[in-house]
Amino acid sequence: MPFRDRYTGLINRYRDHLPVSDDTRIISLGEGNTPLIRLKNIPKLLGKDVEIYVKYEGLNPTGSFKDRGMTMAVTKAVEEGSNAIICASTGNTSAAAAAYAARAGITAFVLIPEGKIAMGKLAQAMMYGAVTIQIRGNFDEGMELVKQVALQAPVTIVNSVNPYRLQGQKTAAFEIVEELGRAPDYHCLPVGNAGNITAHWIGYCEYSAQKGTKVTESCAFCDGNCRYAGGPIIGGNRPAMIGYQAAGSAPFVRGEAVKNPETVATAIRIGNPQSWDRAWKVKEESGGWFDELADEEILAAQKLLAQREGIFCEPASAASIGGAMRDIKTGRIPEGSTIVCTLTGNGLKDPDTAIKQCGDSRMVTIDANISSVKDAILGNM
């Protein structure tokens, strides 16, 4: 491939569809362009005639989908003259914010809940050089503090309340449609702060509009005040959007904020989503739904995906595939459907949880001689 054609990140790839100019200094780590992998073994286990794909966002530079939004948020922060960014985080946002701040040469401040963040994510934030502030509280309390601080200090918020985050994240939908040749019938995502399900809907709506159709007058991201509003939808251009939450942290399923959310899926341990209103609109417009999974179901899906398909995602990511499997089994997602499940983060983000699941079942300790090795092999065949 000629050097001039090499991939240099999603902003350059989709520059005409993002709020940047020719003079904008792009802050990128080569994010985006993640694989869309068709599952081969899990559909057979289900015994259903469906096509299931996973969009493996864990192969972004810092290991999660947050990089898509962060490249845009930090690019615009720098363009607007900011020397510092701030976020509240359950882990992935802090890792991405820290990395892109380092790339830009600015300071990142990250607020994390003490003792409630996976070690892989904490290590990233610290190694990238962020000023890491642990609070004796949860993500929702951290988010409120961040919003208050931003009113009093010269820092730019890079959580999903920052509109540029969603602009970057919408590009995942572009990639999916381009690879499949059309939108899937169903798109399943884990839901925490609910920015990602909103961003994907933005992407599907814009892609549909660019192909000659228009979105409804009350679309979820602009309330009818954009160049795509004003006409009917032609069927088949956008998927039903399905959001899955952990049972201990499921405000959309409860219909109200959850005061003290708890789940092993730390990335979606959020009780008061910042994109609440928009996510509800996405559900209504797309004909989708919200549902919940117990931690045991989430962990079982994570392990199944790794051991049957060779794809290692973090627990929160597995909510999408676990929920999809359950809805396929019950027929809520009908046979003949094409389904895309977003895997939001890499399994290496939370190795402790993965190792606890496996216990000693996949490890044996033997003497260092050929006979012992041979016996160990034969005994596990």
Side-chain angles (χ1 to χ4, degrees), residues 25 152 181 203 370:
R25 176 192 166 200
Q152 303 173 39
I370 187 63

Side-chain angles (χ1 to χ4, degrees), residues 69-323:
M70 207 58 68
T71 183
M72 273 301 309
V74 175
T75 289
K76 296 301 288 187
V78 169
E79 185 176 52
E80 293 166 2
S82 181
N83 291 311
I85 59 174
I86 190 169
C87 69
S89 179
T90 57
N92 283 330
T93 300
S94 64
Y100 283 83
R103 183 75 165 172
I106 62 176
T107 302
F109 296 93
V110 302
L111 271 68
I112 59 173
E114 184 182 22
K116 299 289 187 179
I117 178 173
M119 287 297 101
K121 302 172 187 180
L122 179 58
Q124 286 182 288
M126 296 178 72
M127 278 298 290
Y128 291 135
V131 179
T132 305
I133 304 167
Q134 288 194 111
I135 62 168
R136 296 185 185 94
N138 60 29
F139 168 85
D140 301 304
E141 292 168 309
M143 191 68 239
E144 287 306 310
L145 288 169
V146 163
K147 289 192 286 189
Q148 292 174 36
V149 168
L151 295 174
Q152 303 173 39
V155 293
T156 299
I157 298 177
V158 291
N159 284 99
S160 58
V161 295
N162 182 318
Y164 299 120
R165 278 278 307 275
L166 302 189
Q167 285 294 304
Q169 287 165 215
K170 75 183 182 184
T171 60
F174 292 174
E175 291 177 9
I176 290 165
V177 175
E178 287 168 359
E179 190 157 347
L180 289 179
R182 64 179 183 89
D185 301 307
Y186 296 88
H187 191 128
C188 304
L189 301 97
V191 171
N193 221 18
N196 208 26
I197 194 169
T198 304
H200 276 76
W201 190 239
I202 294 172
Y204 284 124
C205 288
E206 289 191 9
Y207 204 98
S208 178
Q210 292 157 16
K211 294 301 180 183
T213 62
K214 293 185 177 181
V215 300
T216 58
E217 293 181 359
S218 59
C219 67
F221 52 93
C222 67
D223 297 322
N225 296 316
C226 75
R227 66 185 184 276
Y228 302 117
I233 289 295
I234 296 175
N237 291 282
R238 304 185 300 176
M241 304 295 292
I242 310 171
Y244 296 107
Q245 301 197 283
S249 180
F252 286 106
V253 180
R254 304 285 175 268
E256 60 184 5
V258 175
K259 222 173 186 183
N260 296 299
E262 283 297 339
T263 172
V264 70
T266 56
I268 53 174
R269 188 190 281 149
I270 296 170
N272 187 22
Q274 296 299 300
S275 294
W276 180 276
D277 292 338
R278 286 181 168 184
W280 275 115
K281 283 188 177 181
V282 169
K283 179 190 83 75
E284 293 164 3
E285 290 181 7
S286 72
W289 58 84
F290 293 112
D291 208 341
E292 63 184 354
L293 292 89
D295 279 359
E296 294 77 13
E297 292 178 280
I298 291 172
L299 293 177
Q302 180 195 25
K303 194 171 182 180
L304 184 71
L305 186 64
Q307 296 188 354
R308 295 286 184 161
E309 300 286 358
I311 301 168
F312 185 25
C313 68
E314 69 171 311
S317 298
S320 64
I321 188 68

